[in-house]
Amino acid sequence: MSSTKRSGFAGIEDTLRDFWATRPVRPRNGGKLGGVSAAIGLRYGVDPILVRVAFVLATVYGGAGLVLYLLGWLLFPREGDPVPGSTEPIRQPTSTRAAVVLVLLLIPGVFWLTTSPAIIGLAVGLGALYMLHRNYGEKGMALATAAPSTTRPVATPVGENTWVYPGGTSTDAPVGESSQQAPPTWDPLGAAPFAWDLPEPDEPEDAQPRRPRRRWISFVALAVAAFFAGLATTLGASLGTALAIALGVLGLGMVVGAFLRGGRGLIWAAVPVGALAMVLGASTGFSGDVGDVEIRPTSIENVAPRYQKSAGSIMLDLQDLRMADGQELRTGANVGIGDITVHAPPEADLQVRCLSELGSVNCLDVSADGSSVERSVVDNGADGPGGGRIVLDLVVGTGDVEVVRG
């Protein structure tokens, strides 16, 4: 990368072109899954633990981290075997089989990028990689060019049976000198002791003492995470909130461990905690109740203000509900993972809000599907305004919402 950096659009173009030409190489050793974090860490001199923490956080909050990791796995070359006669490994593209699998995984991953947190996470991740290469792009290249040369000087022939050795000369030594730098013609094999001018052996370098790993960081971080998660649950916080607090403590422990050489095992605790927190975050209204339920009330007094299920389905049949003119019913339902179905009376005035974090909604024939889809509908029925009025608020984390008349 050139030391003279242009500014403006030309500088951005130069940085992107140089990044692609010298993009990180996934190492054969040291990588956990695909070697993307290790490749970025080795290329720019960053602890791979910090890179893994960034990917996990970006995955939990929005899902962009998973998409960026799969893209890195697909686009970053892998370290191959060196060619014969060379010690430098070659850069090999991702295998065709792995590329096909990664593309198939990226197709559903694109649906995660439809929400604002995912879009922000994607922009922040790409921007961080750009700034990392912009400011530290020469770091890995400097290390590659700083390797000392291992070529040794060799003797060269200057005449028949006469060789000049390193530090020697092909001329005869002056009279009075006791040393001779060139072997005589009668010693074609160079057996004379003075024919050799070998370099002095290098002084052995003192090996730097290896810093011990501080394993206590992992145990302390796990204990602190469990303590604060339990405290949050005791104070009335939801399970998703408690897991988010624990994940934050584990992430802080990994950051501290990156500087103190420890805490590497925390990544294996953070991944399942983050995955569970993500599932519970998508599952709005997690209450621990699981199963299917059917409700068929006949009067307003029999309708609960809200129905909740962590996993399962709720079927609310209001067709037999008796309502007087001017009466209003407000109710709703939350399902973490599952479906909500409502059968409304044909003549009632309806005000309905349908929301699905991941799935589809059919709100009085107004349909949509995808991520974070929401539809609100006001329908006064075939007889127009008048009679009873029903207000519904229906929310599903992962699943479908459907409201029909009859």
Side-chain angles (χ1 to χ4, degrees), residues 239-332:
L239 181 58
T241 302
L243 290 174
I245 294 174
L247 184 63
V249 174
L250 294 176
L252 182 61
M254 285 186 282
V255 172
V256 174
F259 293 97
L260 299 182
R261 193 175 174 81
R264 293 182 179 271
L266 293 176
I267 188 68
W268 301 111
V271 168
V273 171
L276 185 57
M278 181 174 60
V279 171
L280 295 183
S283 304
T284 308
F286 185 85
S287 62
D289 191 9
V290 177
D292 301 333
V293 63
E294 296 184 2
I295 303 103
R296 291 185 171 87
T298 58
S299 64
I300 293 179
E301 292 75 13
N302 296 332
V303 180
R306 197 159 200 88
Y307 300 95
Q308 291 196 110
K309 286 287 182 180
S310 297
S313 65
I314 295 177
M315 198 280 288
L316 182 59
D317 189 350
L318 303 177
Q319 297 182 82
D320 298 331
L321 185 66
R322 295 187 297 270
M323 298 181 65
D325 290 343
Q327 278 189 312
E328 182 179 271
L329 170 64
R330 290 181 176 269
T331 186

Side-chain angles (χ1 to χ4, degrees), residues 34-50:
V36 177
S37 300
I40 296 175
L42 292 175
R43 176 64 178 85
Y44 301 110
V46 181
D47 194 318
I49 290 293
L50 295 178

